[in-house]
Amino acid sequence: MALSKSSLKGKIITELKGQGFTTEGEHAFVAKMAEAIANAVVDEITNNAKAAVSSGSSAGNWPIT
């Protein structure tokens, strides 16, 4: 499964709505905040995470893309 900034943003917005955050209107910044969080999380994972494969011909640590 590929990581998706837009998919994660949508999930964050849905969760914030469920917690009672105001997500629409002139002063609502939930979408901007969700986008910033999603971008940072996906960037961190794709830049630094490794998948550990413990056996077989692919054994080793491999980058997450």
Side-chain angles (χ1 to χ4, degrees):
M1 175 182 94
L3 293 171
S4 167
K5 290 178 181 181
S6 61
S7 175
L8 182 56
K9 175 186 173 184
K11 288 178 173 82
I12 292 169
I13 290 172
T14 298
E15 290 295 324
L16 290 172
K17 280 183 183 180
Q19 295 293 323
F21 281 73
T22 300
T23 59
E24 297 172 3
E26 181 182 354
H27 300 291
F29 284 91
V30 168
K32 288 182 179 184
M33 181 177 66
E35 184 172 2
I37 293 168
N39 290 345
V41 169
V42 171
D43 289 345
E44 178 66 17
I45 291 170
T46 56
N47 291 331
N48 298 312
K50 302 281 184 192
V53 179
S54 59
S55 63
S57 62
S58 296
N61 292 318
W62 298 92
I64 307 288
T65 59

